[in-house]
Amino acid sequence: LDGRKELYNKRTAYTKHFNTNKIAKMGIDDFVIGIGEHNFCRRIERDLDGLGRIIGSTAFKFGVYYGRTKEDPAYIYRNSNIWGTTPQISYSNIAPAIVKLINDGKNQDLNAIINSRISPMFKGKILSTYYPDRYLNVFSDEHLKYFLTSLDLDTKTTLKLNPVLKRELLLEF
């Protein structure tokens, strides 16, 4: 526990700094990974890595980021089309969705959490960061299936559940 105290302190500082008011008002550069070291995505992915790993999947999990792709080496804002046609439009949709997710997490509204368009991995990391005593910090569906199988909870039904419900089942167990 003492070895993790620094991580817990980082998490507390993160959630205080990036409260819902700040998230609702911050600009795209305060959000995207790829610009600086002190923005929302970089800090939740890198600084809080020891509290659940989301490094390794593409930056598209955030909905919008600043960087390159294998096909295009130019460093520019990039976005997932599920959020909008441009990075700015995407970000204008993502920020309120994150605020809503944090509020839904507080209210334990599982249906709203499941229906959030935020990527499952990013959604799980946000919830476990803001509510560490309530939401499990396992984000990969592959890892969730592994734990369900290891605990003999792997039925045809449970393996097909939404990741949010898989985490709930593991917590219940």
Side-chain angles (χ1 to χ4, degrees):
L1 192 61
D2 285 341
R4 299 182 65 75
K5 188 173 184 173
E6 183 181 343
L7 278 170
Y8 299 153
N9 289 340
K10 281 183 179 182
R11 176 179 49 218
T12 299
Y14 179 88
T15 58
K16 283 183 180 178
H17 179 77
F18 289 110
N19 59 54
T20 54
N21 289 330
K22 166 99 174 168
I23 296 166
K25 295 176 185 174
M26 68 185 181
I28 192 170
D29 288 348
D30 295 318
F31 176 77
V32 296
I33 199 162
I35 295 180
E37 295 185 8
H38 303 290
N39 55 47
F40 186 90
C41 292
R42 189 204 183 275
R43 286 182 62 194
I44 201 167
E45 181 182 62
R46 304 292 170 128
D47 293 357
L48 301 178
D49 182 52
L51 298 173
R53 178 160 277 217
I54 61 171
I55 295 173
S57 66
T58 78
F60 279 112
K61 68 181 166 267
F62 300 121
V64 64
Y65 73 99
Y66 185 84
R68 59 184 177 83
T69 65
K70 288 179 183 176
E71 298 80 27
D72 182 1
Y75 280 81
I76 59 172
Y77 291 99
R78 300 180 185 276
N79 64 294
S80 170
N81 291 331
I82 69 162
W83 293 101
T85 56
T86 69
Q88 288 292 343
I89 291 170
S90 291
Y91 177 68
S92 72
N93 291 318
I94 293 165
I98 290 172
V99 170
K100 183 176 181 333
L101 177 66
I102 292 168
N103 289 327
D104 291 339
K106 181 178 181 179
N107 296 326
Q108 300 183 39
D109 186 339
L110 294 181
N111 286 328
I113 292 168
I114 289 167
N115 290 321
S116 170
R117 291 187 300 160
I118 297 170
S119 70
M121 189 174 282
F122 191 33
K123 181 188 313 186
K125 180 72 177 209
I126 292 168
L127 290 171
S128 71
T129 297
Y130 282 82
Y131 308 106
D133 296 330
R134 172 60 184 90
Y135 297 100
L136 188 63
N137 62 342
V138 177
F139 314 118
S140 161
D141 197 50
E142 182 181 322
H143 293 150
L144 291 167
K145 287 178 181 178
Y146 169 81
F147 288 117
L148 289 172
T149 301
S150 296
L151 297 170
D152 201 27
L153 300 172
D154 57 329
T155 67
K156 288 180 183 178
T157 303
T158 59
L159 292 177
K160 292 180 182 178
L161 288 173
N162 180 285
V164 171
L165 296 177
K166 287 176 184 167
R167 284 189 285 272
E168 288 295 307
L169 185 60
L170 288 168
L171 281 172
E172 186 180 307
F173 177 80

